[in-house]
Amino acid sequence: MEKFVKIENVGMSFDTRKGKFVALRDIDLTIKQGEFVSLIGHSGCGKSTLLNLIAGLTLPSSGVLLCANREIAGPGPERAVVFQNHSLLPWLTCFENVHLAVERVFAANENKAQIKERTTKVLELVGLAHALHKYPGEISGGMKQRVGIARALAMEPKVLLMDEPFGALDALTRARLQDELMKICDATRATTVMVTHDVDEAVLLSDRIVMMTNGPAAAIGEILAVDLPRPRERLTLAHDPQYMDYRSAVIEFLYAKQSHPLAA
Amino acid sequence: MANLSGPSSTEADAAAMRAFLGALLPPLMGLMLLVGIWHLATMNGGSIPTPGKTWEAAAKLFADPFYRNGPNDQGIGWNILASLQRVAIGFGIAALVGIPAGFILGRFATMASMVNPIISLLRPVSPLAWLPIGLLVFKKADPAATWTIFICSIWPMIMNTAQGVMRVPQDYLNVARVLNLSEWKIVTRILFPSVLPYMLTGIRLSIGTAWLVIVAAEMLTGGVGIGFWVWDEWNNLKVEHIIIAIFVIGIVGLILEQTLLLLARRLHTEA
Ligand SMILES: Nc1ncnc2c1ncn2[C@@H]1O[C@H](COP(=O)(O)OP(=O)(O)OP(=O)(O)O)[C@@H](O)[C@H]1O
Ligand SMILES: [Mg+2]
């Protein structure tokens, strides 16, 4: 498959009051079209920093990032982001929040009715048909996160970037949304990069898991390819020895090779 | 169902009534205390009239608030309206200039660092210092008073709007960047709604300032207006009327402030 996102020798440092802070160094990674990649690592290692670089929200201090062979020079609707805290605009309804994105991407080629239909469809896809005209303040955290996902999916992005999309949710809602996300990704073949803290989530969803070393100056420690057939079923996988092996490989990396920075 | 909901709703009404009285009672007691002290302090004569005498004068005054005996002798209603009109014009122009200026200062840091020192310098200047400049430029009392209102009420609007723009959460701006929204959409869908509460605070402070300033300005410029009226009554030594004017100015100011607070709360719950 085509190499779609290329991260070449990227380093990122921030200017802080105490001088230069090197967050990332020597990041090399290529992501194929349609691939699902997870970024996992301890808190503060630089996962969000790397995701923001792919999104183009920040630019690297060194190295270069490419998407579809073009340098990433800034954010754009072809790389949709699901933000860690959902970032819905509180003065717009769920419908209007998604509509804002759909309109931006499709207004050039489609009429108003088509754009409305797209908006409604994608909200139905995440199971929010009944909450179209509610404001973010009137719905639960899980529903807000789903609107955030719907907004990103609605743009039919080439790359879907998610920063701990399910981090703030309870275990039941999280499992449901993971299943939904797997279905959506299988259906749309979207290239996806997801930041997560959750080992099971990473193994269940990913084609590859990128494990990052502790910061400062974090780098890619290991990359684990997850060769489990799709569609994946969480109940059968729970007893799958191969799944268990992947799971313990990630845990081994996180807790033995990169013991928690606070414990060190 | 109907039987059940009937009595429970009157019960709720009664509870609301009690809450209302509970909220009203302490302020009423405070007011009575004030009038009581006023009465005790003035009942043995002196230059300040008693509450009773002031009340009588007020009743007479408000019996016919809209009479006209020539340009210098008009009812108190006309005087209040004249002042409100000046405030409205001066404040209106200040809003038209100040709110867009605040947006620009909040959005462009270089502009802000250019203009902020000037604002800090001019903001603490007393309104009365601006009046001669107005008289000099406009050669007439009325526009000079409006000018003074304008210059004194513009600062809170500029500063609060700029504050609001600078405090737009980075998350929302990131959304705008990822969606690659046009500058127009950024202003209407993101900046304006999130700045609105700050803007309303600015407007409220501005109107308060404008109402403070108008009385002083009118004392100096003359004509019709509540400030001028106070000065006129002082020259006539009608002290009751001065006290009435103080109450009237206070009440109008209170109404202006409460109206804007109500508006802010309405918009806030809608957001
Ligand atoms: N704008 C910034 N200025 C200075 N330092 C920053 C900035 N953004 C991130 N950092 C630093 O870079 C490091 C990596 O931050 P990042 O947010 O990418 O971590 P993370 O892996 O996403 O953590 P978490 O899992 O807790 O979200 C941290 O030490 C953080 O303090
Ligand atoms: Mg993070």
Side-chain angles (χ1 to χ4, degrees):
Chain A
M1 263 191 279
E2 193 191 337
K3 291 188 170 42
F4 197 60
V5 176
K6 274 196 230 174
I7 303 171
E8 290 174 355
N9 210 6
V10 159
M12 183 71 203
S13 47
F14 295 103
D15 288 320
T16 66
R17 254 169 290 158
K18 288 189 210 143
K20 210 156 127 177
F21 176 84
V22 181
L24 295 173
R25 65 177 165 85
D26 307 329
I27 304 286
D28 274 291
L29 181 67
T30 54
I31 300 169
K32 294 188 281 274
Q33 192 150 30
E35 194 176 21
F36 195 118
V37 171
S38 293
L39 304 177
I40 200 166
H42 286 291
S43 180
C45 71
K47 305 179 293 293
S48 297
T49 305
L50 183 52
L51 199 80
N52 287 344
L53 285 170
I54 304 174
L57 287 169
T58 46
L59 296 177
S61 317
S62 61
V64 63
L65 292 101
L66 303 164
C67 175
N69 293 320
R70 292 195 21 221
E71 183 171 349
I72 296 174
E78 81 279 2
R79 277 164 284 120
V81 183
V82 177
F83 295 93
Q84 186 160 2
N85 51 1
H86 63 74
S87 293
L88 300 179
L89 303 174
W91 43 84
L92 299 183
T93 61
C94 298
F95 182 89
E96 289 166 336
N97 263 290
V98 176
H99 190 262
L100 192 65
V102 180
E103 196 180 37
R104 181 69 194 96
V105 179
F106 298 101
N109 303 317
E110 294 187 5
N111 63 32
K112 282 196 174 132
Q114 285 171 304
I115 287 172
K116 279 197 170 151
E117 196 189 315
R118 263 182 195 279
T119 309
T120 314
K121 261 202 182 137
V122 77
L123 279 161
E124 277 166 10
L125 185 72
V126 295
L128 285 177
H130 60 287
L132 294 184
H133 300 294
K134 291 207 165 134
Y135 287 92
E138 301 167 347
I139 60 179
S140 73
M143 290 162 84
K144 277 182 232 176
Q145 205 52 270
R146 278 188 275 165
V147 179
I149 294 169
R151 176 172 63 186
L153 289 173
M155 297 154 72
E156 297 195 347
K158 292 181 184 156
V159 185
L160 181 59
L161 303 169
M162 300 191 285
D163 196 347
E164 296 186 37
F166 312 128
L169 304 180
D170 65 281
L172 291 176
T173 312
R174 191 186 312 167
R176 248 227 353 272
L177 287 185
Q178 285 166 351
D179 291 343
E180 278 177 33
L181 179 67
M182 261 195 295
K183 269 189 231 145
I184 290 165
C185 286
D186 283 347
T188 59
R189 303 296 307 137
T191 308
T192 309
V193 182
M194 178 180 75
V195 171
T196 181
H197 272 130
D198 184 329
V199 177
D200 285 299
E201 179 171 281
V203 179
L204 181 68
L205 297 177
S206 312
D207 296 311
R208 280 189 300 158
I209 302 174
V210 172
M211 294 177 266
M212 297 178 65
T213 64
N214 290 338
I220 294 177
E222 286 173 30
I223 297 181
L224 178 74
V226 181
D227 273 323
L228 295 170
R230 286 177 190 275
R232 295 175 184 168
E233 186 58 57
R234 82 172 57 241
L235 284 177
T236 47
L237 281 180
H239 310 288
D240 186 316
Q242 209 183 349
Y243 176 89
M244 296 305 234
D245 286 348
Y246 290 132
R247 203 174 171 279
S248 35
V250 179
I251 290 175
E252 168 88 359
F253 177 87
L254 286 179
Y255 299 104
K257 295 179 197 160
Q258 300 285 326
S259 63
H260 197 280
L262 293 183
Chain B
M1 271 317 267
N3 274 350
L4 277 178
S5 73
S8 75
S9 90
T10 52
E11 219 166 83
D13 282 353
M17 195 67 195
R18 241 174 289 135
F20 181 71
L21 284 180
L24 210 64
L25 211 56
L28 267 178
M29 275 159 60
L31 205 65
M32 273 160 62
L33 193 69
L34 178 72
V35 173
I37 292 173
W38 174 13
H39 184 79
L40 285 179
T42 54
M43 65 186 181
N44 294 327
S47 47
I48 309 277
T50 59
K53 266 184 81 182
T54 310
W55 182 257
E56 276 167 35
K60 219 185 285 168
L61 207 58
F62 282 98
D64 185 14
F66 293 104
Y67 72 86
R68 267 197 176 128
N69 292 336
N72 283 331
D73 185 12
Q74 302 191 6
I76 186 158
W78 290 123
N79 282 291
I80 296 171
L81 286 181
S83 296
L84 279 175
Q85 189 191 3
R86 272 189 207 108
V87 165
I89 295 173
F91 163 81
I93 301 173
L96 283 181
V97 177
I99 290 172
F103 266 93
I104 293 171
L105 291 194
R107 197 113 172 87
F108 304 106
T110 40
M111 276 301 260
S113 42
M114 222 167 83
V115 179
N116 278 343
I118 303 177
I119 293 181
S120 321
L121 185 79
L122 296 185
R123 198 171 55 99
V125 173
S126 158
L128 301 184
W130 292 109
L131 193 63
I133 307 276
L135 286 170
L136 196 71
V137 173
F138 298 106
K139 307 272 191 296
K140 264 166 64 190
D142 222 29
T146 308
W147 149 259
T148 310
I149 299 289
F150 165 81
I151 198 80
C152 292
S153 62
I154 197 170
W155 310 121
M157 277 186 292
I158 294 187
M159 306 226 309
N160 278 281
T161 308
Q163 268 285 321
V165 173
M166 281 187 293
R167 293 222 186 139
V168 173
Q170 188 59 42
D171 289 343
Y172 299 160
L173 295 176
N174 279 345
V175 170
R177 290 176 64 204
V178 168
L179 298 186
N180 198 1
L181 296 179
S182 62
E183 191 69 23
W184 171 248
K185 275 271 156 79
I186 292 180
V187 170
T188 56
R189 293 299 165 83
I190 294 182
L191 290 186
F192 190 78
S194 64
V195 171
L196 197 60
Y198 291 88
M199 226 164 69
L200 280 172
T201 305
I203 288 175
R204 196 158 49 80
L205 294 175
S206 282
I207 290 212
T209 312
W211 191 242
L212 268 181
V213 167
I214 190 69
V215 175
E218 284 174 348
M219 279 190 178
L220 296 176
T221 59
V224 189
I226 191 76
F228 169 71
W229 193 77
V230 171
W231 194 244
D232 208 33
E233 299 304 294
W234 163 241
N235 285 332
N236 298 338
L237 274 179
K238 283 197 193 150
V239 185
E240 306 94 82
H241 285 186
I242 295 178
I243 293 177
I244 294 166
I246 289 174
F247 275 102
V248 166
I249 292 167
I251 290 167
V252 172
L254 193 74
I255 292 172
L256 288 176
E257 164 124 355
Q258 289 301 318
T259 312
L260 281 163
L261 271 180
L262 208 75
L263 190 74
R265 222 168 293 144
R266 274 281 298 279
L267 285 169
H268 196 77
T269 46
E270 271 171 30

